Amino acid sequence: MGSYIVKRILVSVPLLLIISFLTFVLINLSPLDPAEVVLQAQGVPEITEELLEQTKEELGLDKPFILRYFDWFISSLQLDFGESYINGKPVWSLIGPAFLNTLKLTLISSIAIIFMSILLGVTCALKEGQVIDKSIRGFSFVLTAMPSYWLATIMIWYVSVKLDLLPTSGMVSYSSYILPVIVITISYAGIYFRNIRSSMLNNLNEDYVLYGRASGLPEKKITMHILRNSLQVSISIFGMAIPIILGSTVVIENVFAWPGLGSLSVKAILGRDFPIIQAYVLILAAAFVLFNTISDIINAFMNPKLRNDL
Amino acid sequence: MRILRNLSRDRLATISLLIIAVTIIAGIFAPLFAPFDPNEINMSLRYASPSWEHLLGNDHLGRCILSRIIYGIRPSVLWVLVVLFISVLAGAILGFLAGYFRGKIDAIIMRICDTMLSFPGYVMALAVIGILGVGLENILIAFALIKWAWFARVIRTSVMQYAELDYVKFSKATGISDFKIIFKHIVPVTFSDIAVISSGSIGSMILQISGFSFLGLGIQAPNPEWGMMLNEAREVMFTRPELMLAPGLAIVIVVSAFNFLSDSLQVALDPKLVISKNKYKENSPYSAVKVREKEVAN
């Protein structure tokens, strides 16, 4: 197990390096001249050749590409991502708190997703083929076809405006979490509960269940055994879901005006604020790799067969 | 033919297929089907409720919503299908190369795929849009760039299970060229896998791309697109919530139709599933490929 963990972590390090390089290359592929973007953002009325040269020097854009990459990489490690082109603030002071807000939303939603997936998955598996199973599955089918932002807007309109129960947007109190978490849970639990359901159903056909029944074990105890064996799936779902949600809360955050990475990045894209886009991609990719590594390690811990995969 | 027969036995699949066909035809021939010009502004009809002339009513600029929905099929559905086709094609070419020839070429292609897949797709798409600027073409480019790796990986798995079979080995031994073997013996058998894989991801792609348009990163006004229509409706949602209805339902119906069709296709293409329907056991070797893309919801 120890050697697996070491190997798994060693695999992620070069991946992170490649990702950081790709991020840098991507931004430098832009057809726009960053110096021009900065000057436009600062509202300079007339952009002259001299001014462009001067800004390039200030931004260090006159250095060769590889050197710039190393400078950027080393300062990124120290969480120094440069300054926003638009308002001149350090990128980390904008992106750090935003990342934390997104992370909070993601973690709480993941817990809700796991809870709902297990509840629905187990219910459906135990009542397989009955009305309740069919209706839950049918309903989830329609729910997963709904655009999450549409659902979110309808909920804001109904719950926050019509009934006036919850705040419409922003992150003002704990009640602000309720609507975004519900919307995210609906769009993901509808997918993941199927995995739990099928895992339960597979376990139902195992020999140990037959043996338990044959030796007269009460049905409740058998269910507990099945549940424990199916739970492994839910842990790997948890590992899978966190990084995916972290990267795809963009739309939900914008609808609810959640002060997270999603809102920040869309604003940065519309304003062509490259340092923020760069830092956003790098941080999320790093978080993605980190969570994937952790979930792989947990999976290998639960299932020794996976340890030989590397 | 067998596939169509199996599909037609499934009533839901038939309905889904019908909805999709109607949508695609209406999209291609939008000028014929749309009763009005989608961009024609008519302030006297501002927020008009549905009438016989304008079946779905009019929006904040008095434009005919039905016409806008019909024209919106083009960016919301047709272009998504084009992008899907391109990324499946790219994924299939690389997947066949990797899965059939194995060795070094396989290792290289798979390492590239691994790196691509280690980026969260959504973030990658945002980054590409950030660099190229907003616009529908850039969203489509971003999606083609992020999707091929996943298709390449799954198609490779599908190819690999056939490339090792005896009849392929026999063909190799008799000196038939590799490309002939691929086209004659492997493409036909993997085709059903590819069909299921690609149809399974249409739904989520439509949702994601309309989501980007909803954020204002996609097609620019005044061109109609379902996500963007929802974004316009959101601005007046406190006073005119009914404007959210038509474009939202359009997305739900089309995405549901694609999802149902993909599920039925999976059953129709696999004779073992047709007989036993849902009752198969996990260890029955029905397909080594995980067919459903559940990578990102929306």
Side-chain angles (χ1 to χ4, degrees), chain B residues 3-15:
Chain B
I3 299 163
L4 272 181
R5 206 167 47 235
N6 285 340
L7 268 183
S8 64
R9 258 185 236 142
D10 192 337
R11 208 180 311 145
L12 255 173
T14 319
I15 298 171

Side-chain angles (χ1 to χ4, degrees), chain B residues 135-152:
Chain B
L136 182 68
E137 315 86 68
N138 295 339
I139 288 190
L140 298 176
I141 292 172
F143 269 82
L145 280 177
I146 60 172
K147 289 286 176 186
W148 67 266
W150 190 81
F151 289 123

Side-chain angles (χ1 to χ4, degrees), chain B residues 21-290:
Chain B
V22 168
T23 313
I24 291 175
I25 291 169
I28 294 173
F29 301 107
L32 290 179
F33 285 90
F36 292 90
D37 179 1
N39 296 329
E40 190 185 85
I41 295 169
N42 188 346
M43 287 316 245
S44 61
L45 282 171
R46 220 169 163 229
Y47 300 125
S49 0
S51 59
W52 281 114
E53 209 177 336
H54 300 273
L55 283 175
L56 295 174
N58 299 70
D59 67 0
H60 63 291
L61 293 172
R63 295 174 295 196
C64 172
I65 292 181
L66 180 66
S67 307
R68 289 181 72 73
I69 295 263
I70 290 175
Y71 270 90
I73 294 172
R74 290 177 170 181
S76 307
V77 182
L78 298 185
W79 280 110
V80 176
L81 292 177
V82 172
V83 170
L84 183 85
F85 180 75
I86 293 171
S87 41
V88 169
L89 194 69
I93 291 171
L94 291 169
F96 272 101
L97 284 178
Y100 182 79
F101 292 107
R102 308 300 307 271
K104 244 182 209 155
I105 189 162
D106 181 32
I108 295 170
I109 292 175
M110 279 306 111
R111 283 299 82 74
I112 299 174
C113 285
D114 280 346
T115 319
M116 292 294 294
L117 291 172
S118 67
F119 262 115
Y122 230 68
V123 177
M124 181 87 160
L126 275 177
V128 174
I129 298 161
I131 295 153
L132 298 174
V134 295
L136 182 68
E137 315 86 68
N138 295 339
I139 288 190
L140 298 176
I141 292 172
F143 269 82
L145 280 177
I146 60 172
K147 289 286 176 186
W148 67 266
W150 190 81
F151 289 123
R153 185 164 255 277
V154 193
I155 291 170
R156 168 182 173 265
T157 320
S158 173
V159 171
M160 261 161 48
Q161 45 172 336
Y162 297 107
E164 294 294 311
L165 293 183
D166 282 342
Y167 71 88
V168 176
K169 281 184 191 155
F170 181 74
S171 313
K172 273 186 197 168
T174 49
I176 297 173
S177 78
D178 285 331
F179 281 94
K180 215 167 186 183
I181 297 178
I182 289 181
F183 281 109
K184 279 235 147 138
H185 297 307
I186 301 186
V187 171
V189 278
T190 48
F191 190 75
S192 66
D193 276 346
I194 296 175
V196 174
I197 294 160
S198 39
S199 67
S201 51
I202 300 175
S204 67
M205 257 170 101
I206 292 178
L207 286 176
Q208 288 171 1
I209 291 180
S210 76
F212 278 127
S213 293
F214 177 75
L215 293 177
L217 301 175
I219 203 164
Q220 298 299 306
N223 297 312
E225 200 273 347
W226 295 349
M228 209 193 54
M229 288 172 75
L230 281 173
N231 189 23
E232 285 172 350
R234 180 168 66 138
E235 276 153 33
V236 289
M237 72 181 215
F238 298 125
T239 48
R240 306 274 171 184
E242 67 272 12
L243 284 184
M244 303 281 305
L245 219 56
L249 282 179
I251 297 178
V252 174
I253 291 170
V254 170
V255 173
S256 303
F258 274 116
N259 284 349
F260 274 121
L261 186 71
S262 153
D263 267 23
S264 313
L265 207 58
Q266 196 175 341
V267 178
L269 289 172
D270 197 323
K272 279 173 210 135
L273 282 178
V274 177
I275 301 158
S276 56
K277 225 173 187 184
N278 306 336
K279 280 282 180 187
Y280 64 90
K281 285 185 183 175
E282 179 75 347
N283 41 13
S284 70
Y286 76 103
S287 172
V289 190
K290 273 191 192 158

